[in-house]
Amino acid sequence: MEYRYAAIPAVAGGLMLTLLLWWAGASADALQLDGATGVLGIETDAALRSWLYPWAYDSYAGALSHGSAVPTPDGSHYLGLHHTAMQIRFVAVFVFYAAGALLLVRRIPAERGRVGPALLALWAWGVVAGTLAVTVSSPWLIAAGGRGSYRFLPQLAGLSSSGRTVLVPLALAVAVWTVLVTRLALKHAEPQPRGDVPARAALVAATVGTAVVAVSVVVLSYQENAARIQTAFAGGGFLSEPGDLLRQWLVLSAWSGPAGSPFGDWLLVRLGDVLLLAVVWCALRWLPGVLTRVSVPAMAAGAVCAVVLGLLARHLVRVAVADGSWNCRGLLQAASGLGEGTSAAMLWGTLAGIAAAVTLRMSGRGTAAPGSGGPGSTNPGSADPGSPVPGPADDPGSAVLPGPADGPGMGNPPSAADGPVPDGSAGARDGGQPPLG
């Protein structure tokens, strides 16, 4: 898909996500009305504040959420820095989403047979774009609070993990909108080709990429190892106490042994981590066949989206199996956990995608050439990624056409079974026929 066609849905999706988040932040002013807490309840009001205030342009609303724009000893509020931070946040949302959507729309166009993968990838990328925007704008909010030099890294870790709950439903709506615009842009376009990847190479690449993610889920997320990450680096001065930030970017889960609890209950909780790895493996297995061209940036972006989707699936399973409470309080707690682990998903998803792409390239060196119809290969022009590549015997137009050698008095080229062929000028003059007595 050409850039000029892919840029239209990417820009449209970026604008829609920015406007929806701006509207969500502006809606936070309603929570300041008299009687809002009495109508909604204390827990609901507190949950809505934590979801909406990170996207509120108003400095007072932001102060209640994360401590920015608090009065300094001289009584000023640093409103200019707060407004600058929010402007950076909304511009960053648009830039990050448009850039990622441009890559995803080009490599996974929302045409027939690809609508589902494109929708899921754009949904996950919306959550990633919002998380990146919150992270890059957090230093300005920290400075706006007048305490920029005090425990900067812990403040950065706390601010960059906020505002993700509202991102999940809004990113889904934006993904649907982007897919619709893409379908309109591709209305009169030809079907895009598919990657020609042998099945064995795709299996190996998916396994390698999943193993990279498992390093965080299984090894680093163990309670003792996560505690070492939290406390091993003390830092100093402006960069002191980096444990919270390191854990946020390195750890995808949290688990320990079944000590003091029934083994069945412990196994049910661990089912979410198994589902996370299964989602990542399946996505990396089928991603090369969905892409129009397998490349390192496309595989890295697709792997990041796969890890984010796996985290969402794991959260839903934990809510349904482990918590099991469907009252108002339980739903609020379940919704508050949406989007957790997105920072680590960006790091480990990128590493997994690069590892899978390198594995595909190394495995493809010893496989059959594209179009040879080898086992597991896919047809770039076919709607079905698993359809075999037609060979000469399957193409109606590849039949041998009659040539001059098939005309009257001319024979087909002799084979070894026809006997010896005379050489010399006589054989060449007589067309390879034995000389007459």
Side-chain angles (χ1 to χ4, degrees):
M1 188 176 182
E2 298 181 3
Y3 277 107
R4 58 178 179 176
Y5 295 121
I8 297 175
V11 172
L15 289 174
M16 181 61 70
L17 182 60
T18 305
L19 291 175
L20 288 178
L21 289 173
W22 183 287
W23 168 79
S27 301
D29 292 337
L31 299 176
Q32 305 298 327
L33 299 176
D34 295 336
T37 304
V39 173
L40 299 174
I42 297 177
E43 294 182 353
T44 304
D45 181 75
L48 291 176
R49 288 172 186 264
S50 64
W51 299 349
L52 300 179
Y53 281 168
W55 301 101
Y57 194 80
D58 182 34
S59 59
Y60 175 74
L64 296 178
S65 173
H66 44 64
S68 65
V70 296
T72 56
D74 60 351
S76 63
H77 285 236
Y78 292 168
L79 293 179
L81 275 176
H82 179 84
H83 292 160
T84 301
M86 297 310 298
Q87 292 168 8
I88 293 174
R89 180 165 296 186
F90 287 111
V91 171
V93 165
F94 171 78
V95 172
F96 285 130
Y97 185 87
L102 181 63
L103 175 63
L104 293 174
V105 169
R106 287 195 72 233
R107 296 298 176 224
I108 314 177
E111 59 185 11
R112 185 177 180 181
R114 285 172 167 160
V115 175
L119 179 64
L120 292 176
L122 290 170
W123 179 23
W125 187 256
V127 181
V128 171
T131 302
L132 287 173
V134 171
T135 302
V136 300
S137 61
S138 294
W140 281 266
L141 286 178
I142 295 173
R147 301 173 299 178
S149 60
Y150 174 72
R151 303 182 75 240
F152 174 76
L153 293 183
Q155 290 188 76
L156 180 62
L159 286 176
S160 59
S161 62
S162 62
R164 298 179 183 178
T165 302
V166 72
L167 272 173
V168 176
L170 295 185
L172 178 59
V174 172
V176 174
W177 163 254
T178 307
V179 167
L180 291 177
V181 177
T182 307
R183 295 282 293 176
L184 292 177
L186 294 174
K187 188 175 182 180
H188 301 291
E190 296 293 332
Q192 302 296 312
R194 290 177 179 266
D196 187 10
V197 179
R200 183 178 181 83
L203 288 172
V204 175
T207 304
V208 171
T210 307
V212 173
V213 179
V215 171
S216 175
V217 176
V218 179
V219 180
L220 299 183
S221 298
Y222 186 62
Q223 186 176 5
E224 296 181 358
N225 297 331
R228 292 191 185 98
I229 295 174
Q230 183 83 23
T231 58
F233 305 96
F238 187 71
L239 301 178
S240 62
E241 302 181 55
D244 292 337
L245 193 63
L246 289 175
R247 188 166 181 170
Q248 185 180 105
W249 281 85
L250 293 177
V251 177
L252 279 169
S253 182
W255 68 281
S256 60
S261 62
F263 181 76
D265 296 342
W266 178 85
L267 197 60
L268 285 177
V269 176
R270 301 279 70 78
L271 182 63
D273 293 332
V274 176
L275 179 61
L276 166 61
L277 296 177
V279 170
V280 172
W281 187 89
C282 293
L284 292 178
R285 167 63 182 86
W286 296 110
L287 181 61
V290 176
L291 296 173
T292 57
R293 187 170 69 87
V294 178
S295 61
V296 174
M299 290 293 296
V304 170
C305 296
V307 179
V308 173
L309 293 174
L311 291 173
L312 293 175
R314 183 189 67 181
H315 181 71
L316 294 178
V317 168
R318 286 184 175 179
V319 170
V321 175
D323 299 338
S325 56
W326 297 100
N327 52 19
C328 181
R329 183 177 182 180
L331 292 176
L332 287 176
Q333 293 178 351
S336 298
L338 290 174
E340 289 183 353
T342 307
S343 298
M346 289 186 284
L347 173 63
W348 292 104
T350 302
L351 295 177
I354 294 174
V358 172
T359 305
L360 281 175
R361 183 167 298 181
M362 294 179 62
S363 301
R365 291 178 180 176
T367 59
S372 61
S377 62
T378 56
N379 184 5
S382 171
D384 185 5
S387 60
V389 180
D394 301 324
D395 189 359
S398 63
V400 179
L401 298 178
D406 298 321
M410 303 296 293
N412 290 329
S415 62
D418 297 329
V421 179
D423 53 358
S425 58
R429 182 180 64 252
D430 297 332
Q433 299 296 327
L436 299 178

